């Protein structure tokens, strides 16, 4: 079953009560016309009424039923069970047939029954995106993003963080989905750009909410913060936003400078703040400036007679070809956290 976006001929001018064609509905919900016909044939999930001598027309109630089907399958529910739930709800019932809302998740996120697959990974995304072997939640998130269902994207993001924590959610669900969307739009011209923007916006909103909540619960601390910044010309801030949120959850003070930070501003911030560490993100080799990284690492701060330097972490794929002797190079969020933990966070005094 594939959910690739298909381009079909526009509907003829018809009154609203006539409904929409299968092709139009496919574009609206982000699945293929073949998938809609398959759902109708296998599960009876089709238009409630059909006019003779004309193609099938889907009413607003039919569309709502299909959207519910998409939401449930994106959450990992087997199609047969999801179809039963979608049909019951469209008829005004709430019979879940063995499916139950996840406790504590927003919007009553549905979880698979015991008869569903027990593996958290799925080799096919059903979204038209090159995901490979990923968690079921990653597949569902990608499908929701492809059909531009912002509510479902946010629902699944929140549920994933609550179920797995932010580190696992980022490394095994969010990062693979973002990478797949990025590869897709790069190979498909302007298509899928809107999918990447939607997914990125919701992920950023979720990460910032987690950061704000964590900071509000932090104890008062005078420890030196960790500075996080993208190098000049670099706009990809999401990985740093994820690290910032995790550090805040672990009661580590942070100073997030965001994207495209000028070299002078970065050095000035280090001198003024005296950070325990500086995390520099580079997405591409064109923005990975080793001289700037070494300059930041050599920057001294503090009062005369007690000058110190900050540890520098080079993060992001842009550094993969760079010669970074003397600088830390974590491979992923988890390793960066290990490097920033305990004594590794200590500043380096100047002899």
């Amino acid at each position: 079953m594939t959910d690739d976006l298909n381009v079909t001929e526009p509907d003829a001018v018809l009154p609203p009560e006539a409904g929409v064609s299968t092709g139009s509905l496919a574009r609206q919900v982000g699945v293929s016309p073949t998938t809609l016909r398959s759902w109708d044939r296998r599960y009876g999930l089709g238009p409630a009424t059909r006019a003779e001598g004309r193609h099938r027309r889907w009413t607003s109630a039919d569309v709502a039923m299909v959207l519910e089907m998409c939401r449930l399958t994106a959450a990992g529910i087997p199609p047969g069970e999801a179809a039963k739930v979608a049909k019951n709800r469209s008829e005004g019932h709430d019979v879940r047939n063995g499916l139950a809302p996840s406790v504590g998740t927003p919007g009553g996120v549905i979880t698979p029954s015991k008869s569903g697959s027990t593996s958290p990974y799925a080799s096919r995304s059903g979204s038209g995106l090159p995901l490979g072997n990923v968690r079921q939640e990653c597949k569902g998130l990608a499908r929701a993003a492809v059909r531009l269902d912002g509510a479902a994207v946010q629902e699944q993001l929140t549920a994933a963080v609550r179920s797995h924590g932010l580190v696992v959610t980022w490394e095994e669900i969010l990062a693979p989905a973002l990478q797949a969307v990025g590869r897709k739009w790069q190979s498909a011209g302007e298509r899928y750009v809107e999918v990447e923007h939607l997914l990125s916006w919701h992920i950023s909103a979720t990460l910032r909410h987690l950061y704000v909540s964590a900071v509000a619960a932090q104890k008062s601390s005078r420890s030196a913060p960790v500075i996080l910044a993208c190098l000049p010309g670099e706009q990809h801030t999401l990985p740093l936003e994820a690290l910032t949120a995790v550090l805040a959850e672990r009661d580590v003070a942070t100073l997030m400078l965001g994207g495209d930070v000028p070299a002078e501003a970065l050095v000035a911030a280090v001198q003024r703040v005296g950070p325990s560490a500086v995390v520099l993100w580079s997405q591409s080799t064109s923005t990975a400036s080793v001289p700037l990284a070494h300059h930041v690492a050599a920057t001294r701060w503090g009062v005369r007679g007690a000058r110190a330097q900050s540890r520098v972490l080079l993060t992001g794929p842009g550094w993969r070809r760079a010669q970074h002797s003397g600088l830390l190079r974590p491979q992923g969020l988890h390793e960066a956290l290990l490097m920033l933990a305990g004594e590794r966070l200590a500043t380096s005094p100047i002899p």
Side-chain angles (χ1 to χ4, degrees):
M1 180 178 67
T2 59
D3 289 353
D4 294 334
L5 298 180
N6 286 60
V7 179
T8 58
E9 293 299 321
D11 293 334
V13 179
L14 292 170
E17 61 270 18
V20 298
S21 71
T22 298
S24 178
L25 178 59
R27 290 194 301 272
Q28 179 178 340
V29 300
V31 303
S32 70
T34 301
T35 295
L36 292 178
R37 297 187 186 101
S38 175
W39 285 351
D40 187 11
R41 184 177 65 255
R42 294 182 181 181
Y43 314 118
L45 205 74
T49 59
R50 306 176 191 233
E52 294 185 5
R54 238 184 28 207
H55 291 296
R56 297 180 298 176
R57 314 298 298 185
W58 302 73
T59 66
S60 58
D62 298 329
V63 172
M65 179 175 60
V66 171
L67 285 172
E68 181 69 1
M69 177 69 170
C70 291
R71 189 183 74 84
L72 294 171
T73 54
I77 308 302
E81 297 182 37
K84 293 178 183 179
V85 177
K87 289 175 67 176
N88 283 325
R89 290 183 179 178
S90 71
E91 296 168 359
H93 303 295
D94 196 25
V95 180
R96 285 175 169 76
N97 298 305
L99 304 177
S102 298
V103 177
T105 55
V109 178
I110 305 299
T111 56
S113 67
K114 292 181 180 180
S115 61
S117 172
T118 59
S119 173
Y121 297 92
S123 60
R124 296 191 61 178
S125 70
S127 63
L129 299 177
L131 284 168
N133 188 31
V134 296
R135 276 187 173 270
Q136 187 75 20
E137 296 93 334
C138 182
K139 181 185 74 170
L141 182 63
R143 294 178 65 180
V146 166
R147 67 175 187 268
L148 298 180
D149 188 342
V153 168
Q154 189 59 56
E155 183 180 79
Q156 293 185 50
L157 286 172
T158 305
V161 172
R162 288 182 176 179
S163 298
H164 305 295
L166 185 50
V167 176
V168 171
T169 296
W170 173 260
E171 292 194 329
E172 300 187 18
I173 300 174
L174 307 188
L178 285 167
Q179 291 164 3
V181 171
R183 289 193 297 267
K184 187 68 175 182
W185 77 254
Q186 286 177 350
S187 64
E190 293 301 316
R191 292 184 63 203
Y192 285 85
V193 172
E194 72 283 1
V195 176
E196 183 187 39
H197 285 198
L198 172 75
L199 184 58
S200 297
W201 188 90
H202 279 278
I203 290 176
S204 180
T206 300
L207 294 174
R208 295 187 186 201
H209 173 73
L210 293 171
Y211 167 79
V212 171
S213 299
V215 169
Q218 277 184 355
K219 300 177 182 178
S220 178
S221 174
R222 294 186 178 181
S223 61
V226 175
I227 287 182
L228 303 99
C230 290
L231 291 183
E234 183 58 69
Q235 297 287 357
H236 293 78
T237 63
L238 285 180
L240 289 187
E241 291 179 37
L243 179 55
T244 300
V246 175
L247 289 174
E249 288 182 341
R250 301 187 179 194
D251 207 27
V252 176
T254 61
L255 182 62
M256 172 64 161
L257 299 184
D260 192 15
V261 181
E264 297 81 1
L266 177 59
V267 173
V270 172
Q271 292 173 330
R272 291 173 58 187
V273 173
S276 56
V278 180
V279 182
L280 302 177
W281 177 268
S282 173
Q283 182 71 19
S284 65
T285 55
S286 62
T287 61
S289 174
V290 174
L292 176 56
H294 279 293
H295 183 60
V296 171
T299 299
R300 303 182 180 187
W301 48 266
V303 298
R304 182 174 298 179
R307 307 283 274 175
Q309 293 170 290
S310 304
R311 297 291 183 90
V312 173
L313 279 68
L314 307 182
T315 58
W319 303 101
R320 60 184 178 273
R321 298 178 183 175
Q323 298 296 324
H324 44 77
S325 176
L327 304 176
L328 300 175
R329 177 74 173 92
Q331 302 296 319
L333 179 59
H334 181 70
E335 191 170 325
L337 290 171
L338 292 177
M339 290 182 177
L340 291 171
E343 294 182 356
R344 295 196 179 199
L345 204 59
T347 55
S348 303
I350 301 299

